[in-house]
Amino acid sequence: MADPRPRVSPEVALRRLAGLARDAGAVERTDRALVRGRARLIEEIERVAPPRAPRRGWVIPAALAPLLVIVGLWALRPAARLDYRIDGAAPADSYVGAGESGATARFSEGTTVRFAPGARGRVAAVTARGAQIHIEHGAAHFRVVHLPGAEWIAEAGPFTVTVTGTEFDLSWQDERMDLTMQSGSVAVRGPLAEGGIAVQGGQRLVADVVRGELTIADQKTAADLRAPAGDDPREAGATDEPEAEVDPGAPGAKADVDTKADVDAKVDVDAKARPGATARRGAGAVAPRSGQDRAPAPQSYRARVARGDFAGAIADAESRGIDATIAASPLSELAALADAARYAGRNDLAKRVLVVERARFPGSPEARSAAFLLGRMAEPSSPAAAIGWYDQYLSESPAGSLAAEALGRKMVVVRASRGDAAARPVAEEYLARYPGGAFAAAAAEILGRP
């Protein structure tokens, strides 16, 4: 029975081997001899086996078989990893302890990582396509050469920055990450950005793990990030008078818009936003009076947030009318718009969106998480409201992904506003539930434990 498989010529076979070599990685200088040998091998095959009548197969002289094996092994070998050196360090040293003049790690394909004076870090891993650089303390300037298939990772504390080809500054100090982009784009993942956040050239991202805050802004306004952003006093209903701290749990207490009771009283928007639906007007939403008044479906805020276009998402919502947009948008778009507002430092808008999110979609995972986020935003101006929101989240999601942080932050706020005695029961509960948690040391301190 004839073999149905197609036959290939020696030249085609060798070209395929060469293609495998290219896919495996760049050809090094030391491999050029093998490339030349491949050309001579083809010439020898043509000389020894001259053209003849078409046949179903071809025969390679036995003397050439070892050469083919060598070429095949060369093509299938793993690509060599990049070489690198660190100024002022031993050739095999991967740790960087920058002195007064700093230190620079230089890689063979042209990438450089310049550590600022006093910075500490290490080259954690190196491959043929890139490296993993970890910053333990201080700042570093990355200039990554843009090459096809490049794979570079920069780590700062618990945050991971995935890079292809770009230039940026990255620092990690006092549980705070600061990323300033000069060009290109990166993806940031970490405790405050589990799903990943795209950061573009000209943007700056600041993530404060202790405060639980993440902000992104254009560099022209990045100076505002030096101080943590608080609530915007220009939001609807705000006055110049000092805000009174009200305990949401006190009998007869009347809390501001940060509290759950006020949300329930002020916002009642139909989840489907039917034409003609009515709502009690408040700080959170105004329902459309008719189908014509309703804002058209917005562009995907999720897609905008994924690529770091927070300003674009906010501008789109404002152009359509904030109240009408948040009254008619689906849950996923509301959550994305709230994220865009938080990352851009627009806590006033984020609060309005989160309030409506909880009113329109009660019981949803997003609505439960909104209670925690509202608590975080309320901390600087109204500790009592923040405690109320943390209690609300813990009652709705006692085993939720944010439960440990909600309880820990509640403990911190109670201690700061009411003293150690009031915080002790919360500290005891925290240690009982999360003995190895991020707030365990603070809880032990409140309880006077070593």
Side-chain angles (χ1 to χ4, degrees):
M1 182 175 180
D3 189 351
R5 293 176 295 180
R7 302 289 184 175
V8 297
S9 67
E11 294 87 350
V12 172
L14 288 171
R15 289 193 188 98
R16 290 179 179 176
L17 288 174
L20 290 172
R22 286 192 299 270
D23 293 341
V27 178
E28 297 180 348
R29 294 187 179 91
T30 54
D31 295 325
R32 290 176 181 172
L34 285 173
V35 175
R36 292 193 296 270
R38 168 182 173 275
R40 290 198 298 269
L41 177 62
I42 294 176
E43 294 176 357
E44 183 67 16
I45 291 174
E46 292 175 347
R47 186 183 65 78
V48 176
R52 63 184 64 183
R55 299 179 54 183
R56 289 186 174 274
W58 51 273
V59 178
I60 298 176
L64 297 180
L67 290 176
L68 284 177
V69 172
I70 293 173
V71 172
L73 292 175
W74 165 70
L76 296 176
R77 82 201 190 291
R81 73 174 197 171
L82 298 177
D83 292 327
Y84 73 93
R85 61 186 176 85
I86 301 172
D87 292 350
D93 195 2
S94 63
Y95 185 80
V96 179
E100 295 181 356
S101 58
T104 302
R106 306 178 189 276
F107 292 83
S108 54
E109 52 42 287
T111 291
T112 59
V113 181
R114 188 172 67 249
F115 291 81
R120 301 191 304 272
R122 68 181 187 278
V123 180
V126 180
T127 69
R129 298 179 182 272
Q132 181 178 342
I133 313 295
H134 181 73
I135 298 177
E136 295 182 357
H137 175 82
H141 178 81
F142 288 74
R143 186 179 178 276
V144 179
V145 176
H146 183 66
L147 293 176
E151 296 176 352
W152 290 82
I153 295 176
E155 296 178 335
F159 294 93
T160 299
V161 180
T162 303
V163 185
T164 52
T166 183
E167 187 170 0
F168 60 92
D169 293 297
L170 180 65
S171 71
W172 173 252
Q173 193 167 352
D174 299 328
E175 304 300 309
R176 175 183 167 106
M177 186 193 76
D178 194 325
L179 169 68
T180 301
M181 298 291 301
Q182 277 82 48
S183 64
S185 63
V186 299
V188 178
R189 289 178 172 80
L192 305 173
E194 290 84 355
I197 296 176
V199 188
Q200 311 289 336
Q203 292 183 323
R204 181 184 177 194
L205 179 150
V206 177
D208 191 316
V209 176
V210 175
R211 296 180 62 87
E213 295 176 350
L214 185 149
T215 308
I216 294 182
D218 293 336
Q219 288 192 51
K220 62 183 179 180
T221 59
D224 297 337
L225 298 180
R226 294 172 184 169
D231 289 355
D232 190 339
R234 295 171 295 178
E235 69 182 276
T239 68
D240 294 332
E241 298 178 0
E243 180 181 19
E245 293 187 6
V246 182
D247 186 345
K254 175 66 175 71
D256 64 4
V257 72
D258 281 334
T259 64
K260 176 179 181 297
D262 197 56
V263 172
D264 295 338
K266 289 191 177 184
V267 183
D268 183 19
V269 182
D270 189 288
K272 297 181 180 179
R274 299 186 304 271
T278 60
R280 290 191 292 276
R281 295 173 180 257
V286 176
R289 291 187 297 273
S290 66
Q292 287 84 8
D293 294 333
R294 213 169 0 127
Q299 297 295 319
S300 174
Y301 296 142
R302 288 187 298 171
R304 290 180 183 270
V305 169
R307 63 176 182 263
D309 186 15
F310 311 124
I314 295 171
D316 182 87
E318 290 177 336
S319 69
R320 297 167 185 273
I322 293 294
D323 291 330
T325 297
I326 62 181
S329 297
L331 175 57
S332 60
E333 293 294 271
L334 276 181
L337 181 58
D339 286 341
R342 289 192 302 113
Y343 297 152
R346 287 286 305 277
N347 284 355
D348 60 323
L349 176 58
K351 184 186 302 182
R352 291 172 65 184
V353 178
L354 292 170
V355 162
V356 175
E357 185 179 305
R358 284 185 55 80
R360 288 185 57 199
F361 303 98
S364 66
E366 292 84 353
R368 294 196 294 269
S369 296
F372 172 84
L373 296 174
L374 286 164
R376 286 294 296 114
M377 287 186 287
E379 275 191 33
S381 61
S382 180
I387 294 168
W389 277 118
Y390 290 143
D391 283 338
Q392 187 63 37
Y393 175 84
L394 292 167
S395 68
E396 294 175 358
S397 304
S401 60
L402 298 171
E405 188 171 355
L407 187 59
R409 297 217 64 85
K410 174 188 174 182
M411 176 187 69
V412 171
V413 175
V414 169
R415 184 187 192 187
S417 60
R418 303 177 188 173
D420 284 2
R424 286 191 185 100
V426 188
E428 290 175 349
E429 181 183 359
Y430 185 89
L431 286 178
R433 295 178 60 180
Y434 310 105
F439 293 86
E445 182 181 337
I446 292 171
L447 298 173
R449 299 178 185 176

